C-alpha cells in the first residue's frame, strides 16, 4: 500500500495531512489552478463538504474549519513530490505500453534560474503513472531508472524519444524490470543511426501503411520492419528495427516534407508486427497530447509562477490526478469535465473521489 508521510512537525498541527490533500484534490477537480484558488474553494465550502473531507471540527459547537490558503501552500510546498506522485498515480502493471517524456514548466523560470523540468510516464490509456523533477545541472537521462524503478513493468513496452535511446536504459528495462523497450533512434546516436540506415531494407517484406488527417496536415506513414539478430547491430537485447517514413502535407500552404526515423526494440516479429510498432510509436505522442497539452490548456500550467519548495511538482501532480480521475470516469474532454465538476463544485468532486 502506498503511503505518504506528513512533512510537518508533530507539534502545532491544526489540520490533518489527509484532509488538506483531499481539499487540494477536490478543488483542482473543479479547475483550481493555484494555492490561492484552492484556499478560496476551501473557504467557501459548506459544512457538509468539510465534514466529508475530514476537516477539523471545533470542540464546542462541532463547526468544521477549512485549512487556509497559507496552510495548503505550506503543506504542498513541503510534501515529498515523489511520494505524492506515486500515491496519486495510476498503477502501470498490466498496461500494454508506457510512454516516458519530459516537459519544462515555463512559468517557473526566474531571472537566470532556468525553468524546472518534469519527467513523466503515462500508459497507453492516457493515465499518468508518476513524474519526477529533473535536478538542475543534469538531464532526463539520469532520472529514467529512478522514475520507473518502483513499478511492476513485467511485459509492459516502454517507449521513449531519441534522448532515451541509451544502452543502460535497455538493460535496465529488460534485465531488471522484465519489460520491453521501443526507442526512437535519431542522429544523436550517430553510429547506431548510420548502422540502421544501411541495413538491407529492400529485403523487408513486412510493411504497414497508415494515414491521418489532423492538426491541419495530412500525414502518410510507411512502416517497415527487419529482424536484426544476425545483422550485427550493437544494442543490448535488440531483436528488431523498424523504419518509419513520414510524408506530411500542410493543408493550408500545401508544403510537403518527408522524415525518416528508426525504432529499435527487443520485441520479436511475432510479438510486434509493423502495425503494432506503429501503434507503440503513436502511444509516445499520448504523453504530449493527453497530458502536457491538457495541463497547459485546461490548467494554464505554463502561466503558473509557482516555484518555491516542492509546490511546482505537487501542483503538477494534482493536475495529472484530476486528469486521471476525469478520464477514468469517462470524460474524454478534460476541460468539459472540469466545467461539469464546477457546476456543483462542493458535491460532484467528492462523489467522484468516493468520499462518503
Amino acid at each position: 500500500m502506498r503511503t505518504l508521510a506528513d512533512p510537518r512537525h508533530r507539534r502545532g498541527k491544526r489540520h490533518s495531512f489527509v484532509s488538506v490533500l483531499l481539499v487540494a484534490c477536490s478543488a483542482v477537480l473543479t479547475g483550481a489552478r493555484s494555492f490561492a484558488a484552492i484556499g478560496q474553494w476551501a473557504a467557501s465550502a459548506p459544512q457538509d463538504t468539510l465534514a466529508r473531507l475530514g476537516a477539523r471540527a471545533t470542540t464546542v459547537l462541532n463547526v468544521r474549519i477549512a485549512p487556509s490558503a497559507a496552510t495548503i501552500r505550506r503543506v504542498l510546498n513541503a510534501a515529498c513530490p515523489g511520494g505524492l506522485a506515486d500515491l496519486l498515480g495510476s498503477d502501470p502493471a498490466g498496461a500494454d505500453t508506457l510512454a516516458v517524456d519530459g516537459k519544462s514548466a515555463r512559468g517557473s523560470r526566474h531571472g537566470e534560474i532556468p525553468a524546472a523540468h518534469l519527467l513523466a510516464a503515462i500508459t497507453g490509456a492516457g493515465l499518468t503513472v508518476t513524474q519526477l523533477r529533473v535536478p538542475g545541472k543534469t538531464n532526463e537521462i539520469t532520472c529514467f531508472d529512478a522514475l520507473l524503478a518502483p513499478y511492476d513493468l513485467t511485459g509492459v513496452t516502454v517507449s521513449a524519444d531519441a534522448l532515451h535511446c541509451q544502452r543502460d536504459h535497455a538493460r535496465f528495462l529488460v534485465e531488471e524490470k522484465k519489460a520491453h523497450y521501443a526507442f526512437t533512434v535519431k542522429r544523436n546516436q550517430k553510429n547506431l543511426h548510420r548502422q540502421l540506415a544501411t541495413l538491407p531494407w529492400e529485403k523487408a517484406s513486412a510493411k504497414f501503411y497508415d494515414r491521418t488527417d489532423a492538426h491541419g496536415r495530412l500525414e502518410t506513414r510507411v512502416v517497415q520492419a527487419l529482424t536484426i539478430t544476425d545483422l550485427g547491430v550493437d544494442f543490448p537485447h535488440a531483436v528488431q528495427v523498424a523504419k518509419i517514413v513520414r510524408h506530411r502535407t500542410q493543408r493550408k500552404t500545401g508544403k510537403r516534407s518527408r522524415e525518416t526515423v528508426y525504432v529499435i526494440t527487443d520485441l520479436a516479429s511475432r510479438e510486434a508486427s509493423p502495425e503494432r510498432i506503429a501503434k507503440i510509436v503513436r502511444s509516445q505522442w499520448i504523453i504530449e497530447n493527453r497530458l502536457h497539452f491538457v495541463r497547459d490548456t485546461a490548467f494554464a500550467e505554463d502561466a503558473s509562477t509557482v516555484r518555491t519548495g516542492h509546490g511546482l511538482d505537487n501542483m503538477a501532480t494534482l493536475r495529472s490526478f484530476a486528469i486521471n480521475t476525469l478520464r477514468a470516469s469517462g470524460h474524454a474532454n478534460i476541460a468539459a469535465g472540469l466545467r461539469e465538476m464546477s457546476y456543483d463544485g462542493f458535491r460532484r468532486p467528492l462523489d467522484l473521489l468516493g468520499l462518503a
Side-chain angles (χ1 to χ4, degrees):
M1 180 178 178
R2 297 171 183 172
T3 60
L4 179 63
D6 188 338
R8 299 171 295 174
H9 192 278
R10 63 185 181 83
R11 295 180 61 186
K13 296 179 185 177
R14 301 182 65 198
H15 301 275
S16 77
F17 186 42
V18 172
S19 68
V20 174
L21 292 181
L22 288 176
V23 165
C25 289
S26 301
V28 173
L29 270 169
T30 67
R33 299 177 175 182
S34 65
F35 297 138
I38 296 171
Q40 187 175 5
W41 182 91
S44 303
Q47 286 292 298
D48 62 328
T49 296
L50 294 176
R52 293 175 69 182
L53 293 168
R56 183 173 69 92
T58 58
T59 56
V60 180
L61 300 176
N62 204 35
V63 174
R64 299 285 176 167
I65 307 297
S68 66
T71 296
I72 294 166
R73 180 182 292 106
R74 282 196 299 271
V75 170
L76 291 179
N77 273 337
C80 171
L84 186 64
D86 291 348
L87 179 69
L88 299 182
S90 176
D91 187 352
D96 182 36
T97 60
L98 185 70
V100 175
D101 197 15
K103 174 187 182 294
S104 292
R106 298 177 186 176
S108 64
R109 184 180 292 109
H110 183 60
E112 296 187 5
I113 300 175
H117 195 77
L118 301 174
L119 183 65
I122 187 172
T123 69
L127 299 178
T128 303
V129 174
T130 189
Q131 71 171 21
L132 60 78
R133 186 170 180 171
V134 177
K137 299 182 180 180
T138 183
N139 58 35
E140 293 180 19
I141 296 173
T142 61
C143 299
F144 185 89
D145 291 11
L147 181 78
L148 302 178
Y151 298 97
D152 177 8
L153 299 179
T154 305
V156 178
T157 300
V158 178
S159 65
D161 61 20
L163 178 66
H164 292 288
C165 184
Q166 305 290 330
R167 287 165 169 75
D168 287 344
H169 291 359
R171 295 189 187 97
F172 167 73
L173 290 173
V174 175
E175 298 171 12
E176 295 186 34
K177 305 306 293 182
K178 310 305 178 186
H180 302 290
Y181 66 84
F183 294 153
T184 301
V185 183
K186 292 186 178 179
R187 296 184 186 276
N188 63 315
Q189 291 275 4
K190 294 180 182 179
N191 294 336
L192 181 61
H193 184 272
R194 187 183 305 113
Q195 189 175 21
L196 300 187
T198 57
L199 290 175
W201 290 106
E202 68 279 0
K203 297 181 180 180
S205 57
K207 293 184 179 181
F208 174 70
Y209 297 87
D210 186 26
R211 172 175 286 191
T212 57
D213 188 355
H215 306 293
R217 66 173 181 256
L218 180 66
E219 182 170 321
T220 302
R221 292 175 290 274
V222 182
V223 184
Q224 298 175 274
L226 271 177
T227 298
I228 57 171
T229 48
D230 298 322
L231 297 180
V233 174
D234 180 23
F235 199 81
H237 305 289
V239 174
Q240 193 175 194
V241 170
K243 177 182 180 180
I244 304 176
V245 181
R246 300 177 179 135
H247 300 270
R248 296 190 180 103
T249 302
Q250 298 294 334
R251 285 201 169 276
K252 189 173 183 179
T253 63
K255 182 179 179 181
R256 297 182 178 181
S257 62
R258 171 176 168 165
E259 179 188 28
T260 300
V261 298
Y262 299 93
V263 176
I264 194 164
T265 179
D266 69 313
L267 293 166
S269 58
R270 66 180 181 277
E271 299 171 298
S273 64
E275 181 176 2
R276 179 155 190 249
I277 291 174
K279 179 182 177 182
I280 292 170
V281 171
R282 284 198 302 272
S283 73
Q284 181 64 28
W285 306 339
I286 289 177
I287 196 167
E288 178 62 37
N289 296 335
R290 304 189 71 185
L291 178 63
H292 298 159
F293 178 76
V294 174
R295 288 204 322 226
D296 286 341
T297 55
F299 293 102
E301 184 169 82
D302 276 349
S304 173
T305 57
V306 174
R307 62 175 68 95
T308 58
H310 300 307
L312 181 148
D313 319 44
N314 289 332
M315 281 300 298
T317 292
L318 290 171
R319 295 173 189 130
S320 296
F321 173 73
I323 294 168
N324 279 4
T325 303
L326 290 170
R327 193 163 281 150
S329 66
H331 289 277
N333 186 314
I334 300 303
L338 293 172
R339 288 194 298 271
E340 183 177 316
M341 292 296 107
S342 70
Y343 297 150
D344 191 357
F346 298 118
R347 182 182 61 83
R348 289 182 182 176
L350 279 65
D351 290 346
L352 200 58
L353 294 176
L355 299 176

